[in-house]
Amino acid sequence: MDNKDRLILALAALLRAERETRGALMDAIEEDSISRETLLAILSDPIPIVTQEDIAFAERFALSKHLPLERKD
């Protein structure tokens, strides 16, 4: 497994975790098992899971020399 594969797996894991978190939150809201205060605390969290800065960094990293393209002869 090379650096490119590890980056792809890490980004996929982040996406999966975000989807699972969103799903759990939706379930809790639908079942009315989350307090208003907890919901407000979650929604007011100033740091999103993945920021635009994270995406830009991943794109720069993917295009950098850190991930050399494999030669297919």
Side-chain angles (χ1 to χ4, degrees):
M1 183 179 299
D2 62 5
N3 288 337
K4 181 179 173 182
D5 293 332
R6 283 192 285 279
L7 176 62
I8 291 169
L9 288 175
L11 292 173
L14 282 173
L15 181 58
R16 188 176 330 112
E18 184 176 344
R19 286 181 178 160
E20 288 175 3
T21 300
R22 187 178 303 135
L25 183 57
M26 290 293 291
D27 290 343
I29 291 169
E30 288 173 358
E31 294 174 8
D32 204 25
S33 63
I34 189 168
S35 72
R36 183 178 191 281
E37 292 79 18
T38 302
L39 184 57
L40 288 172
I42 292 169
L43 293 174
S44 67
D45 185 1
I47 302 172
I49 294 173
V50 177
T51 65
Q52 284 298 104
E53 185 177 308
D54 296 329
I55 293 169
F57 172 79
E59 289 174 347
R60 284 191 311 273
F61 185 82
L63 295 172
S64 74
K65 293 181 181 176
H66 295 289
L67 296 174
L69 295 175
E70 293 180 19
R71 295 180 62 155
K72 301 196 182 205
D73 298 313

